PDB file of all heavy atoms in Angstrom:
ATOM      1  N   MET B   1      32.002 -12.846 -12.718  1.00 89.00           N
ATOM      2  CA  MET B   1      30.705 -12.377 -13.219  1.00 89.00           C
ATOM      3  C   MET B   1      30.313 -13.179 -14.458  1.00 89.00           C
ATOM      4  O   MET B   1      31.129 -13.348 -15.354  1.00 89.00           O
ATOM      5  CB  MET B   1      30.793 -10.890 -13.553  1.00 89.00           C
ATOM      6  CG  MET B   1      30.989 -10.025 -12.307  1.00 89.00           C
ATOM      7  SD  MET B   1      30.213  -8.433 -12.419  1.00 89.00           S
ATOM      8  CE  MET B   1      31.144  -7.672 -13.717  1.00 89.00           C
ATOM      9  N   PRO B   2      29.085 -13.685 -14.471  1.00 93.00           N
ATOM     10  CA  PRO B   2      28.656 -14.518 -15.601  1.00 93.00           C
ATOM     11  C   PRO B   2      28.596 -13.722 -16.910  1.00 93.00           C
ATOM     12  O   PRO B   2      28.156 -12.576 -16.930  1.00 93.00           O
ATOM     13  CB  PRO B   2      27.260 -14.992 -15.204  1.00 93.00           C
ATOM     14  CG  PRO B   2      26.975 -14.426 -13.871  1.00 93.00           C
ATOM     15  CD  PRO B   2      28.036 -13.486 -13.485  1.00 93.00           C
ATOM     16  N   THR B   3      29.086 -14.372 -17.962  1.00 95.00           N
ATOM     17  CA  THR B   3      28.975 -13.795 -19.293  1.00 95.00           C
ATOM     18  C   THR B   3      28.102 -14.729 -20.114  1.00 95.00           C
ATOM     19  O   THR B   3      28.348 -15.933 -20.157  1.00 95.00           O
ATOM     20  CB  THR B   3      30.357 -13.671 -19.943  1.00 95.00           C
ATOM     21  OG1 THR B   3      31.162 -12.838 -19.114  1.00 95.00           O
ATOM     22  CG2 THR B   3      30.257 -13.063 -21.327  1.00 95.00           C
ATOM     23  N   LEU B   4      27.072 -14.187 -20.697  1.00 94.00           N
ATOM     24  CA  LEU B   4      26.197 -15.043 -21.488  1.00 94.00           C
ATOM     25  C   LEU B   4      25.888 -14.404 -22.830  1.00 94.00           C
ATOM     26  O   LEU B   4      26.127 -13.216 -23.028  1.00 94.00           O
ATOM     27  CB  LEU B   4      24.917 -15.394 -20.728  1.00 94.00           C
ATOM     28  CG  LEU B   4      23.983 -14.301 -20.222  1.00 94.00           C
ATOM     29  CD1 LEU B   4      22.678 -14.933 -19.823  1.00 94.00           C
ATOM     30  CD2 LEU B   4      24.564 -13.567 -19.031  1.00 94.00           C
ATOM     31  N   THR B   5      25.422 -15.222 -23.726  1.00 96.00           N
ATOM     32  CA  THR B   5      25.148 -14.751 -25.083  1.00 96.00           C
ATOM     33  C   THR B   5      23.644 -14.690 -25.279  1.00 96.00           C
ATOM     34  O   THR B   5      22.944 -15.677 -25.044  1.00 96.00           O
ATOM     35  CB  THR B   5      25.753 -15.709 -26.111  1.00 96.00           C
ATOM     36  OG1 THR B   5      27.097 -15.986 -25.714  1.00 96.00           O
ATOM     37  CG2 THR B   5      25.749 -15.090 -27.494  1.00 96.00           C
ATOM     38  N   ILE B   6      23.171 -13.530 -25.663  1.00 96.00           N
ATOM     39  CA  ILE B   6      21.734 -13.359 -25.885  1.00 96.00           C
ATOM     40  C   ILE B   6      21.528 -12.921 -27.321  1.00 96.00           C
ATOM     41  O   ILE B   6      21.969 -11.835 -27.708  1.00 96.00           O
ATOM     42  CB  ILE B   6      21.151 -12.343 -24.892  1.00 96.00           C
ATOM     43  CG1 ILE B   6      21.229 -12.918 -23.469  1.00 96.00           C
ATOM     44  CG2 ILE B   6      19.720 -12.003 -25.252  1.00 96.00           C
ATOM     45  CD1 ILE B   6      21.116 -11.929 -22.391  1.00 96.00           C
ATOM     46  N   ASP B   7      20.913 -13.764 -28.104  1.00 95.00           N
ATOM     47  CA  ASP B   7      20.717 -13.496 -29.533  1.00 95.00           C
ATOM     48  C   ASP B   7      22.029 -13.056 -30.187  1.00 95.00           C
ATOM     49  O   ASP B   7      22.067 -12.101 -30.971  1.00 95.00           O
ATOM     50  CB  ASP B   7      19.662 -12.401 -29.743  1.00 95.00           C
ATOM     51  CG  ASP B   7      18.285 -12.859 -29.316  1.00 95.00           C
ATOM     52  OD1 ASP B   7      18.119 -14.080 -29.131  1.00 95.00           O
ATOM     53  OD2 ASP B   7      17.397 -12.014 -29.165  1.00 95.00           O
ATOM     54  N   GLY B   8      23.120 -13.711 -29.819  1.00 95.00           N
ATOM     55  CA  GLY B   8      24.409 -13.399 -30.426  1.00 95.00           C
ATOM     56  C   GLY B   8      25.133 -12.235 -29.791  1.00 95.00           C
ATOM     57  O   GLY B   8      26.272 -11.938 -30.143  1.00 95.00           O
ATOM     58  N   ILE B   9      24.479 -11.563 -28.825  1.00 95.00           N
ATOM     59  CA  ILE B   9      25.140 -10.438 -28.160  1.00 95.00           C
ATOM     60  C   ILE B   9      25.710 -10.941 -26.837  1.00 95.00           C
ATOM     61  O   ILE B   9      25.001 -11.583 -26.048  1.00 95.00           O
ATOM     62  CB  ILE B   9      24.137  -9.297 -27.891  1.00 95.00           C
ATOM     63  CG1 ILE B   9      23.446  -8.894 -29.189  1.00 95.00           C
ATOM     64  CG2 ILE B   9      24.820  -8.103 -27.234  1.00 95.00           C
ATOM     65  CD1 ILE B   9      22.213  -8.041 -28.975  1.00 95.00           C
ATOM     66  N   GLN B  10      26.976 -10.648 -26.614  1.00 95.00           N
ATOM     67  CA  GLN B  10      27.577 -11.076 -25.350  1.00 95.00           C
ATOM     68  C   GLN B  10      27.330 -10.022 -24.278  1.00 95.00           C
ATOM     69  O   GLN B  10      27.591  -8.839 -24.494  1.00 95.00           O
ATOM     70  CB  GLN B  10      29.091 -11.236 -25.546  1.00 95.00           C
ATOM     71  CG  GLN B  10      29.459 -12.518 -26.270  1.00 95.00           C
ATOM     72  CD  GLN B  10      30.572 -13.257 -25.550  1.00 95.00           C
ATOM     73  OE1 GLN B  10      31.423 -12.629 -24.959  1.00 95.00           O
ATOM     74  NE2 GLN B  10      30.552 -14.567 -25.613  1.00 95.00           N
ATOM     75  N   VAL B  11      26.810 -10.442 -23.130  1.00 96.00           N
ATOM     76  CA  VAL B  11      26.679  -9.497 -22.019  1.00 96.00           C
ATOM     77  C   VAL B  11      27.270 -10.124 -20.759  1.00 96.00           C
ATOM     78  O   VAL B  11      27.189 -11.329 -20.547  1.00 96.00           O
ATOM     79  CB  VAL B  11      25.209  -9.096 -21.732  1.00 96.00           C
ATOM     80  CG1 VAL B  11      24.683  -8.125 -22.739  1.00 96.00           C
ATOM     81  CG2 VAL B  11      24.330 -10.320 -21.631  1.00 96.00           C
ATOM     82  N   THR B  12      27.886  -9.266 -19.975  1.00 96.00           N
ATOM     83  CA  THR B  12      28.420  -9.696 -18.685  1.00 96.00           C
ATOM     84  C   THR B  12      27.579  -9.026 -17.614  1.00 96.00           C
ATOM     85  O   THR B  12      27.361  -7.816 -17.657  1.00 96.00           O
ATOM     86  CB  THR B  12      29.887  -9.269 -18.547  1.00 96.00           C
ATOM     87  OG1 THR B  12      30.594  -9.802 -19.662  1.00 96.00           O
ATOM     88  CG2 THR B  12      30.488  -9.796 -17.262  1.00 96.00           C
ATOM     89  N   VAL B  13      27.077  -9.830 -16.684  1.00 96.00           N
ATOM     90  CA  VAL B  13      26.152  -9.283 -15.690  1.00 96.00           C
ATOM     91  C   VAL B  13      26.644  -9.597 -14.285  1.00 96.00           C
ATOM     92  O   VAL B  13      27.497 -10.466 -14.090  1.00 96.00           O
ATOM     93  CB  VAL B  13      24.729  -9.847 -15.878  1.00 96.00           C
ATOM     94  CG1 VAL B  13      24.134  -9.402 -17.200  1.00 96.00           C
ATOM     95  CG2 VAL B  13      24.734 -11.362 -15.780  1.00 96.00           C
ATOM     96  N   GLU B  14      26.087  -8.878 -13.325  1.00 95.00           N
ATOM     97  CA  GLU B  14      26.382  -9.139 -11.914  1.00 95.00           C
ATOM     98  C   GLU B  14      25.887 -10.541 -11.551  1.00 95.00           C
ATOM     99  O   GLU B  14      24.848 -10.976 -12.052  1.00 95.00           O
ATOM    100  CB  GLU B  14      25.634  -8.123 -11.045  1.00 95.00           C
ATOM    101  CG  GLU B  14      26.097  -6.694 -11.183  1.00 95.00           C
ATOM    102  CD  GLU B  14      27.427  -6.469 -10.484  1.00 95.00           C
ATOM    103  OE1 GLU B  14      27.651  -7.100  -9.443  1.00 95.00           O
ATOM    104  OE2 GLU B  14      28.236  -5.671 -11.003  1.00 95.00           O
ATOM    105  N   PRO B  15      26.587 -11.218 -10.653  1.00 94.00           N
ATOM    106  CA  PRO B  15      26.053 -12.500 -10.171  1.00 94.00           C
ATOM    107  C   PRO B  15      24.690 -12.264  -9.512  1.00 94.00           C
ATOM    108  O   PRO B  15      24.497 -11.261  -8.822  1.00 94.00           O
ATOM    109  CB  PRO B  15      27.083 -12.955  -9.126  1.00 94.00           C
ATOM    110  CG  PRO B  15      28.311 -12.159  -9.398  1.00 94.00           C
ATOM    111  CD  PRO B  15      27.871 -10.887 -10.028  1.00 94.00           C
ATOM    112  N   GLY B  16      23.777 -13.182  -9.729  1.00 92.00           N
ATOM    113  CA  GLY B  16      22.452 -13.020  -9.137  1.00 92.00           C
ATOM    114  C   GLY B  16      21.464 -12.358 -10.070  1.00 92.00           C
ATOM    115  O   GLY B  16      20.282 -12.291  -9.782  1.00 92.00           O
ATOM    116  N   THR B  17      21.958 -11.868 -11.201  1.00 95.00           N
ATOM    117  CA  THR B  17      21.047 -11.289 -12.189  1.00 95.00           C
ATOM    118  C   THR B  17      20.228 -12.412 -12.822  1.00 95.00           C
ATOM    119  O   THR B  17      20.718 -13.527 -12.979  1.00 95.00           O
ATOM    120  CB  THR B  17      21.860 -10.567 -13.276  1.00 95.00           C
ATOM    121  OG1 THR B  17      22.767  -9.698 -12.648  1.00 95.00           O
ATOM    122  CG2 THR B  17      20.965  -9.787 -14.208  1.00 95.00           C
ATOM    123  N   THR B  18      19.001 -12.115 -13.165  1.00 96.00           N
ATOM    124  CA  THR B  18      18.202 -13.133 -13.835  1.00 96.00           C
ATOM    125  C   THR B  18      18.418 -13.033 -15.340  1.00 96.00           C
ATOM    126  O   THR B  18      18.923 -12.031 -15.836  1.00 96.00           O
ATOM    127  CB  THR B  18      16.703 -12.944 -13.540  1.00 96.00           C
ATOM    128  OG1 THR B  18      16.303 -11.698 -14.094  1.00 96.00           O
ATOM    129  CG2 THR B  18      16.425 -12.953 -12.058  1.00 96.00           C
ATOM    130  N   VAL B  19      18.008 -14.071 -16.023  1.00 96.00           N
ATOM    131  CA  VAL B  19      18.133 -14.083 -17.481  1.00 96.00           C
ATOM    132  C   VAL B  19      17.316 -12.939 -18.078  1.00 96.00           C
ATOM    133  O   VAL B  19      17.735 -12.283 -19.030  1.00 96.00           O
ATOM    134  CB  VAL B  19      17.685 -15.449 -18.043  1.00 96.00           C
ATOM    135  CG1 VAL B  19      17.581 -15.406 -19.554  1.00 96.00           C
ATOM    136  CG2 VAL B  19      18.648 -16.539 -17.598  1.00 96.00           C
ATOM    137  N   LEU B  20      16.143 -12.677 -17.483  1.00 96.00           N
ATOM    138  CA  LEU B  20      15.303 -11.597 -17.998  1.00 96.00           C
ATOM    139  C   LEU B  20      16.025 -10.251 -17.917  1.00 96.00           C
ATOM    140  O   LEU B  20      16.029  -9.473 -18.875  1.00 96.00           O
ATOM    141  CB  LEU B  20      13.995 -11.546 -17.206  1.00 96.00           C
ATOM    142  CG  LEU B  20      12.907 -10.589 -17.719  1.00 96.00           C
ATOM    143  CD1 LEU B  20      11.533 -11.158 -17.419  1.00 96.00           C
ATOM    144  CD2 LEU B  20      13.005  -9.213 -17.126  1.00 96.00           C
ATOM    145  N   GLN B  21      16.667 -10.001 -16.783  1.00 96.00           N
ATOM    146  CA  GLN B  21      17.403  -8.736 -16.634  1.00 96.00           C
ATOM    147  C   GLN B  21      18.568  -8.679 -17.611  1.00 96.00           C
ATOM    148  O   GLN B  21      18.862  -7.624 -18.180  1.00 96.00           O
ATOM    149  CB  GLN B  21      17.899  -8.591 -15.188  1.00 96.00           C
ATOM    150  CG  GLN B  21      16.774  -8.290 -14.215  1.00 96.00           C
ATOM    151  CD  GLN B  21      17.190  -8.456 -12.769  1.00 96.00           C
ATOM    152  OE1 GLN B  21      17.927  -9.379 -12.429  1.00 96.00           O
ATOM    153  NE2 GLN B  21      16.731  -7.571 -11.909  1.00 96.00           N
ATOM    154  N   ALA B  22      19.224  -9.817 -17.813  1.00 96.00           N
ATOM    155  CA  ALA B  22      20.336  -9.858 -18.765  1.00 96.00           C
ATOM    156  C   ALA B  22      19.844  -9.554 -20.174  1.00 96.00           C
ATOM    157  O   ALA B  22      20.499  -8.840 -20.936  1.00 96.00           O
ATOM    158  CB  ALA B  22      21.017 -11.224 -18.714  1.00 96.00           C
ATOM    159  N   CYS B  23      18.666 -10.083 -20.513  1.00 96.00           N
ATOM    160  CA  CYS B  23      18.092  -9.817 -21.833  1.00 96.00           C
ATOM    161  C   CYS B  23      17.824  -8.320 -21.996  1.00 96.00           C
ATOM    162  O   CYS B  23      18.041  -7.750 -23.062  1.00 96.00           O
ATOM    163  CB  CYS B  23      16.800 -10.595 -22.029  1.00 96.00           C
ATOM    164  SG  CYS B  23      17.038 -12.356 -22.208  1.00 96.00           S
ATOM    165  N   GLU B  24      17.334  -7.700 -20.915  1.00 95.00           N
ATOM    166  CA  GLU B  24      17.090  -6.253 -20.991  1.00 95.00           C
ATOM    167  C   GLU B  24      18.390  -5.503 -21.206  1.00 95.00           C
ATOM    168  O   GLU B  24      18.442  -4.534 -21.965  1.00 95.00           O
ATOM    169  CB  GLU B  24      16.407  -5.772 -19.713  1.00 95.00           C
ATOM    170  CG  GLU B  24      14.939  -6.166 -19.662  1.00 95.00           C
ATOM    171  CD  GLU B  24      14.211  -5.541 -18.487  1.00 95.00           C
ATOM    172  OE1 GLU B  24      14.867  -5.287 -17.463  1.00 95.00           O
ATOM    173  OE2 GLU B  24      13.000  -5.319 -18.604  1.00 95.00           O
ATOM    174  N   LEU B  25      19.454  -5.959 -20.546  1.00 95.00           N
ATOM    175  CA  LEU B  25      20.757  -5.309 -20.718  1.00 95.00           C
ATOM    176  C   LEU B  25      21.237  -5.444 -22.158  1.00 95.00           C
ATOM    177  O   LEU B  25      21.913  -4.569 -22.681  1.00 95.00           O
ATOM    178  CB  LEU B  25      21.797  -5.928 -19.767  1.00 95.00           C
ATOM    179  CG  LEU B  25      21.673  -5.520 -18.302  1.00 95.00           C
ATOM    180  CD1 LEU B  25      22.660  -6.296 -17.464  1.00 95.00           C
ATOM    181  CD2 LEU B  25      21.916  -4.021 -18.137  1.00 95.00           C
ATOM    182  N   ALA B  26      20.864  -6.553 -22.773  1.00 95.00           N
ATOM    183  CA  ALA B  26      21.254  -6.754 -24.167  1.00 95.00           C
ATOM    184  C   ALA B  26      20.297  -6.040 -25.113  1.00 95.00           C
ATOM    185  O   ALA B  26      20.426  -6.151 -26.336  1.00 95.00           O
ATOM    186  CB  ALA B  26      21.295  -8.252 -24.480  1.00 95.00           C
ATOM    187  N   GLY B  27      19.333  -5.331 -24.569  1.00 95.00           N
ATOM    188  CA  GLY B  27      18.408  -4.566 -25.398  1.00 95.00           C
ATOM    189  C   GLY B  27      17.272  -5.387 -25.968  1.00 95.00           C
ATOM    190  O   GLY B  27      16.641  -4.997 -26.944  1.00 95.00           O
ATOM    191  N   LYS B  28      16.994  -6.540 -25.354  1.00 95.00           N
ATOM    192  CA  LYS B  28      15.908  -7.380 -25.854  1.00 95.00           C
ATOM    193  C   LYS B  28      14.689  -7.204 -24.950  1.00 95.00           C
ATOM    194  O   LYS B  28      14.804  -7.255 -23.722  1.00 95.00           O
ATOM    195  CB  LYS B  28      16.329  -8.860 -25.835  1.00 95.00           C
ATOM    196  CG  LYS B  28      17.528  -9.148 -26.701  1.00 95.00           C
ATOM    197  CD  LYS B  28      17.174  -9.002 -28.163  1.00 95.00           C
ATOM    198  CE  LYS B  28      18.452  -9.046 -29.003  1.00 95.00           C
ATOM    199  NZ  LYS B  28      18.185  -8.769 -30.418  1.00 95.00           N
ATOM    200  N   GLU B  29      13.552  -7.015 -25.575  1.00 95.00           N
ATOM    201  CA  GLU B  29      12.334  -6.860 -24.789  1.00 95.00           C
ATOM    202  C   GLU B  29      11.741  -8.231 -24.494  1.00 95.00           C
ATOM    203  O   GLU B  29      11.568  -9.041 -25.401  1.00 95.00           O
ATOM    204  CB  GLU B  29      11.334  -6.007 -25.571  1.00 95.00           C
ATOM    205  CG  GLU B  29      10.112  -5.646 -24.752  1.00 95.00           C
ATOM    206  CD  GLU B  29       9.081  -4.905 -25.575  1.00 95.00           C
ATOM    207  OE1 GLU B  29       8.268  -5.573 -26.242  1.00 95.00           O
ATOM    208  OE2 GLU B  29       9.098  -3.672 -25.570  1.00 95.00           O
ATOM    209  N   ILE B  30      11.473  -8.469 -23.233  1.00 96.00           N
ATOM    210  CA  ILE B  30      10.863  -9.730 -22.836  1.00 96.00           C
ATOM    211  C   ILE B  30       9.483  -9.415 -22.253  1.00 96.00           C
ATOM    212  O   ILE B  30       9.384  -8.667 -21.290  1.00 96.00           O
ATOM    213  CB  ILE B  30      11.707 -10.450 -21.753  1.00 96.00           C
ATOM    214  CG1 ILE B  30      13.159 -10.603 -22.203  1.00 96.00           C
ATOM    215  CG2 ILE B  30      11.097 -11.784 -21.389  1.00 96.00           C
ATOM    216  CD1 ILE B  30      13.354 -11.566 -23.330  1.00 96.00           C
ATOM    217  N   PRO B  31       8.433  -9.980 -22.822  1.00 96.00           N
ATOM    218  CA  PRO B  31       7.106  -9.710 -22.255  1.00 96.00           C
ATOM    219  C   PRO B  31       6.982 -10.357 -20.882  1.00 96.00           C
ATOM    220  O   PRO B  31       7.603 -11.388 -20.616  1.00 96.00           O
ATOM    221  CB  PRO B  31       6.153 -10.354 -23.250  1.00 96.00           C
ATOM    222  CG  PRO B  31       6.959 -11.421 -23.914  1.00 96.00           C
ATOM    223  CD  PRO B  31       8.372 -10.912 -23.954  1.00 96.00           C
ATOM    224  N   ARG B  32       6.221  -9.757 -19.993  1.00 96.00           N
ATOM    225  CA  ARG B  32       6.062 -10.327 -18.655  1.00 96.00           C
ATOM    226  C   ARG B  32       4.804  -9.749 -18.018  1.00 96.00           C
ATOM    227  O   ARG B  32       4.338  -8.668 -18.387  1.00 96.00           O
ATOM    228  CB  ARG B  32       7.271 -10.043 -17.782  1.00 96.00           C
ATOM    229  CG  ARG B  32       7.318  -8.683 -17.045  1.00 96.00           C
ATOM    230  CD  ARG B  32       7.604  -7.482 -17.865  1.00 96.00           C
ATOM    231  NE  ARG B  32       8.842  -7.504 -18.583  1.00 96.00           N
ATOM    232  CZ  ARG B  32       9.959  -6.936 -18.185  1.00 96.00           C
ATOM    233  NH1 ARG B  32       9.977  -6.292 -17.053  1.00 96.00           N
ATOM    234  NH2 ARG B  32      11.026  -6.974 -18.933  1.00 96.00           N
TER     235      ARG B  32
END
Side-chain angles (χ1 to χ4, degrees):
Chain B
M1 293 213 294
T3 301
L4 58 166
T5 313
I6 293 161
D7 293 345
I9 305 165
Q10 283 228 327
V11 284
T12 304
V13 295
E14 293 285 326
T17 309
T18 64
V19 170
L20 188 148
Q21 288 167 321
C23 289
E24 285 187 331
L25 285 175
K28 299 291 170 186
E29 188 185 85
I30 307 291
R32 84 286 302 262

